[in-house]
Amino acid sequence: MAIISRKTRRKAAPYLMVLPALLLLGVFVYGVGSGIIQGFGIMPFLDRTEFTLEYYEQALTRADLLGSIMFSLYFSFTSAILATVGGVALSALMTRARTGRLTRLFGIQVPITTMHAVVALAVICLFSGAGLFPRVLHVLGAAPDATSFPSVVGAPSGWGIIAVYLWKEIPFIAFMTITIMMNISSTLGEAARTLGAGSARAFFSVTLPLCRGAILRAFLVVFAFAFGSYEIPFLLEPTVPKALPVLAYIEFQDPDIINRCYAMALNGIMAGICTVLCVVYYVVLQRDGKRKRGRR
């Protein structure tokens, strides 16, 4: 048996290390591709190979589709915007206070690693009609009874869904921005303060603009995740309207396997809307940045 030389092993090591990532990428691409073709009625394992737009036509003419899209956009944009503001503020506070590893652990890492379903359960226990917070308000005399507090479950405003996402996404935004913000604050921000700029002006004029790229990417990730996620809306949303991912999930659970094509058409609409909005938002911000640089 030939012995592989050390030089050959060194050359092959990077390719071997990337194999797991390539395998996961292959599974992801296969899943996405399979979903796309099923949305057009193609299911080779059932001998259905004819391309059709029938399922997209049914999905687009669905009576409750527009309401579902608007509700999904509402809580996705609201969650992403509030999480971005809160995450940048948290990152700025940690940068200014020069927090240690323990503070970052409980302020960022623990909330990020907590499952959304666990957070949803905690929110239900705290803020539902018979939850802890309404009962405390009733005992303190701030509410006539426990059921007078707006329940987190089934609220038309979707504030329970937004609250769950904020618990996870504010630390995520901070995680995405805190490293670059600390580096900028310790170099260019300190130089700006040395030249006479106050802390607030140094932050808004130097640190924040240079963090724009990281903040934008984090915002898009949060928005896309909130728009495409089904489990939290499924647990906390009102009966009507239902979020678009929940509609797709319900149709996918239909016992008739042919109905999966209809579910995948709904998923295709959802993915298309999210992609278009992300591209438009990114292009607008890029043009705005070029315009500002041109003025300088």
Side-chain angles (χ1 to χ4, degrees):
M1 182 177 178
I3 300 175
I4 302 176
S5 65
R6 181 177 298 179
K7 184 177 180 180
T8 303
R9 291 199 299 269
R10 287 180 178 177
K11 288 183 178 180
Y15 300 99
L16 294 175
M17 293 175 67
V18 82
L19 276 180
L22 291 177
L23 290 174
L24 290 175
L25 179 63
V27 173
F28 174 77
V29 171
Y30 172 79
V32 173
S34 176
I36 291 174
I37 64 173
Q38 286 183 23
F40 293 107
I42 300 175
M43 302 179 75
F45 55 90
L46 294 179
D47 294 329
R48 296 172 61 89
T49 57
E50 185 178 352
F51 180 90
T52 178
L53 294 175
E54 174 187 355
Y55 299 103
Y56 274 94
E57 291 174 357
Q58 293 178 10
L60 290 172
T61 55
R62 183 170 176 148
D64 58 348
L65 179 66
L66 182 59
S68 297
I69 292 175
M70 297 306 296
F71 183 64
S72 297
L73 289 175
Y74 156 69
F75 69 74
S76 300
F77 269 122
T78 304
S79 302
I81 291 172
L82 293 178
T84 301
V85 174
V88 171
L90 177 61
S91 180
L93 289 174
M94 287 188 168
T95 300
R96 184 174 178 80
R98 298 292 177 181
T99 55
R101 184 176 298 178
L102 185 63
T103 304
R104 293 191 195 180
L105 174 66
F106 288 99
I108 295 179
Q109 296 178 17
V110 170
I112 288 178
T113 55
T114 306
M115 294 177 59
H116 280 89
V118 175
V119 180
L121 179 61
V123 169
I124 291 172
C125 293
L126 289 174
F127 300 108
S128 63
L132 179 62
F133 189 70
R135 292 188 180 190
V136 171
L137 290 179
H138 175 59
V139 171
L140 295 176
D145 53 74
T147 58
S148 63
F149 188 82
S151 178
V152 71
V153 181
S157 63
W159 74 273
I161 302 172
I162 296 170
V164 172
Y165 284 140
L166 291 182
W167 167 267
K168 291 272 292 184
E169 310 313 337
I170 286 178
F172 173 76
I173 299 287
F175 176 78
M176 292 285 288
T177 58
I178 190 169
T179 301
I180 186 172
M181 191 173 289
M182 280 188 169
N183 291 333
I184 294 172
S185 178
S186 61
T187 55
L188 298 177
E190 185 175 345
R193 289 189 293 271
T194 302
L195 294 174
S199 299
R201 184 174 181 182
F203 176 77
F204 286 104
S205 300
V206 179
T207 305
L208 194 59
L210 292 176
C211 294
R212 177 187 293 184
I215 296 172
L216 171 62
R217 288 189 291 271
F219 173 86
L220 294 178
V221 169
V222 170
F223 167 75
F225 176 82
F227 189 80
S229 179
Y230 81 92
E231 67 270 27
I232 301 304
F234 184 77
L235 293 171
L236 301 177
E237 71 178 359
T239 304
V240 177
K242 292 188 177 298
L244 187 56
V246 176
L247 289 182
Y249 175 74
I250 293 173
E251 296 297 337
F252 187 84
Q253 293 293 101
D254 192 288
D256 186 3
I257 195 172
I258 301 299
N259 203 63
R260 187 177 297 180
C261 296
Y262 183 55
M264 291 305 169
L266 288 171
N267 278 327
I269 294 172
M270 178 175 59
I273 292 172
C274 188
T275 301
V276 169
L277 289 175
C278 288
V279 170
V280 170
Y281 185 80
Y282 183 80
V283 169
V284 169
L285 286 186
Q286 288 296 311
R287 288 183 177 179
D288 181 63
K290 290 181 180 179
R291 190 181 299 111
K292 289 182 178 179
R293 287 193 294 269
R295 291 176 181 176
R296 294 175 185 174

